Amino acid sequence: MNMNEPFVDHTVISPDGTEIAYRTIGRGPALVIVHGTFRAAVHYEQLARLLSDTFTVCIMDRRGRGGSGPMDADYSFRREREDLAAVLAQTSAELVFGHSLGGLIALEAAAALPLRQIAIYEPPITAHMVPTGWIAEFEKALAEQDYVHSLILFFKAVGGNHIPDEQLENIRQHIHHHPEWPSMVQLLPTLPIEVREAARAVADMEKYRDVSAETLLMIGTENPDFKQPEVIRAFERLVPHSRTVMLPGLGHNAPDMDAPEPVAQQLKAFFNR
């Protein structure tokens, strides 16, 4: 792994005319990373570097962020699937890793495209993992440019009761000083759009029976949403060629923030099978 190797920027045009940006690094079979909600390609650069000695890693900027074109009124997972398909075609990739909401998009693609293998880290696969009751208040705060309150509402929604009040208050007091605060503000409008679409996707999980790719579901043991064994069993019954690996001590943001090394190790072992 060369920590000084530069990323190379590319673009491809999706079928609806939207430009989709992606960055590549490394050598070997092409592997596309599909990032989660409230994220962009830049957040997965460390993971990409860890994989770059084995794969040509392609990190997409999903539409609505980074170098890619905007979301519009026709946004849907079908559009996301078309964006991913355009990147796959241009890179000749048959391997996909999707994190969080990006995992759902990977499943959408695998149900329609002849992918060889997909790995997904903690996608929302039950309705309770995609709450939508917070969206109306979020959109009101966003319209009033109360960006901090919008962000806190989102964190409370996705974290449930697992984020202590004092931690939320600390975020409220200091978030303006976070180096990523400007980019966070830019990404806030994408949240309700993506979450509504994710809720629709989870309500129709039966289509994932058509996934022919070998599928690895990765779960960190620190995520309470996956504590119920029946959730995993239901997923493995639904997706034909799937198996699950539990990663001790890892939380939801292991791939992009907290622990990309063990995630990279699992991906290398899986995709080199």
Side-chain angles (χ1 to χ4, degrees):
M1 177 179 60
N2 182 358
M3 294 304 294
N4 296 316
E5 182 179 354
F7 284 84
V8 180
D9 293 324
H10 309 265
T11 59
V12 66
I13 304 300
S14 198
D16 73 341
T18 300
E19 188 172 66
I20 302 299
Y22 65 97
R23 317 189 74 195
T24 63
I25 191 172
R27 57 206 54 80
L31 164 62
V32 177
I33 294 177
V34 187
H35 63 72
T37 197
F38 209 48
R39 300 276 86 187
V42 66
H43 297 111
Y44 295 78
E45 289 184 357
Q46 186 177 359
L47 177 63
R49 286 193 182 280
L50 291 166
L51 294 167
S52 64
D53 60 346
T54 307
F55 305 101
T56 299
V57 188
C58 315
I59 325 172
M60 294 176 59
D61 264 327
R62 290 175 34 241
R63 59 174 62 202
R65 69 215 75 209
S68 293
M71 293 178 170
D72 56 26
D74 293 327
Y75 174 82
S76 67
F77 271 13
R78 180 171 66 86
R79 294 287 189 220
E80 293 271 18
R81 186 179 69 233
E82 291 173 348
D83 298 346
L84 175 54
V87 174
L88 292 168
Q90 185 157 293
T91 60
S92 300
E94 297 179 303
L95 311 176
V96 175
F97 169 61
H99 176 209
S100 192
L101 184 136
L104 277 185
I105 295 168
L107 285 167
E108 292 277 324
L113 303 171
L115 294 175
R116 180 159 60 90
Q117 290 174 296
I118 65 170
I120 50 181
Y121 188 97
E122 295 192 355
I125 54 176
T126 66
H128 87 273
M129 295 181 189
V130 195
T132 57
W134 57 279
I135 292 179
E137 186 178 355
F138 175 96
E139 290 180 324
K140 180 176 182 293
L142 195 62
E144 295 170 351
Q145 299 185 6
D146 189 349
Y147 302 129
V148 174
H149 185 51
S150 299
L151 187 63
I152 295 298
L153 287 169
F154 171 66
F155 284 161
K156 288 176 70 174
V158 299
N161 297 319
H162 312 298
I163 302 179
D165 289 341
E166 58 269 21
Q167 184 177 342
L168 290 173
E169 184 57 30
N170 187 59
I171 292 172
R172 188 188 304 275
Q173 293 294 328
H174 300 288
I175 193 65
H176 287 107
H177 304 294
H178 195 284
E180 291 187 12
W181 176 241
S183 62
M184 290 180 185
V185 171
Q186 290 183 336
L187 287 175
L188 284 171
T190 69
L191 293 175
I193 301 169
E194 292 183 353
V195 170
R196 285 192 178 105
E197 189 63 14
R200 282 191 284 269
V202 171
D204 184 26
M205 293 281 287
E206 284 295 312
K207 60 181 174 292
Y208 300 140
R209 293 190 185 279
D210 295 331
V211 172
S212 60
E214 185 182 2
T215 302
L216 177 68
L217 173 63
M218 306 166 69
I219 297 168
T221 59
E222 298 306 298
N223 190 335
D225 284 331
F226 290 93
K227 291 293 187 184
Q228 299 81 15
E230 61 269 20
V231 171
I232 297 170
R233 287 198 296 267
F235 180 86
E236 291 179 337
R237 287 195 300 268
L238 181 71
V239 179
H241 309 289
S242 62
R243 65 183 179 88
T244 302
V245 60
M246 304 293 293
L247 302 180
L250 299 194
H252 186 68
N253 288 107
D256 55 322
M257 292 174 57
D258 302 328
E261 292 87 354
V263 175
Q265 290 171 5
Q266 290 292 329
L267 292 176
K268 287 181 180 182
F270 174 65
F271 287 129
N272 282 325
R273 285 160 59 90

